[in-house]
Amino acid sequence: QVQLVESGGGLVQPGESLRLSCAASGTIYRLNAMGWYRQAPGKQRELVATILPAGSTNYADSPKGRFTISRDNAENTVYLQMNSLKPEDTAVYYCYAAVQTRSWWSFYDYWGQGTQVTVSS
């Protein structure tokens, strides 16, 4: 019904930048929050950043000041601009979106398949 397709991951050196994107498609009546989570090896999945339709954002402490989340409501797309990347940013990054598929249904969270970000020299 709903798919979230991520792109932009890859291998970069410390200090470099990367931009992730995630497009939601399928049966979408309305999108609420969108965001990014990440999971490093041996760690739990953790919040990176979220953004509401009107633009309000929330960041975890670690990426705050280095990462910027944004969205294009017309394209149902959320972005994550990652600057000054550090080795500890290495993780699988997962896109999520709270999606209402019918006007009489509640919002439910949908997740992307994840995209690998590796920061290494």
Side-chain angles (χ1 to χ4, degrees):
Q1 290 185 309
V2 178
Q3 298 95 215
L4 301 179
V5 180
E6 300 135 321
S7 62
L11 173 64
V12 296
Q13 295 183 334
E16 294 183 341
S17 298
L18 212 55
R19 192 192 193 208
L20 306 182
S21 64
C22 172
S25 62
T27 304
I28 300 174
Y29 176 73
R30 187 161 56 138
L31 288 170
N32 197 6
M34 300 184 77
W36 295 91
Y37 283 68
R38 67 186 181 187
Q39 187 167 21
K43 305 291 184 179
Q44 290 185 291
R45 186 174 298 185
E46 65 177 5
L47 169 74
V48 177
T50 58
I51 184 168
L52 296 178
S56 298
T57 59
N58 183 47
Y59 295 91
D61 289 340
S62 179
K64 190 176 180 68
R66 299 185 296 118
F67 292 6
T68 302
I69 189 170
S70 61
R71 65 189 287 167
D72 185 335
N73 292 328
E75 297 293 332
N76 294 333
T77 301
V78 63
Y79 304 92
L80 186 68
Q81 178 66 46
M82 303 185 293
N83 297 328
S84 302
L85 283 163
K86 303 175 180 179
E88 51 262 44
D89 294 318
T90 296
V92 177
Y93 284 70
Y94 295 92
C95 174
Y96 94 90
V99 183
Q100 186 180 20
T101 57
R102 297 288 189 273
S103 63
W104 60 92
W105 288 358
S106 299
F107 287 97
Y108 292 95
D109 283 350
Y110 288 82
W111 296 88
Q113 79 287 348
T115 184
Q116 178 70 48
V117 172
T118 302
V119 185
S120 177
S121 60

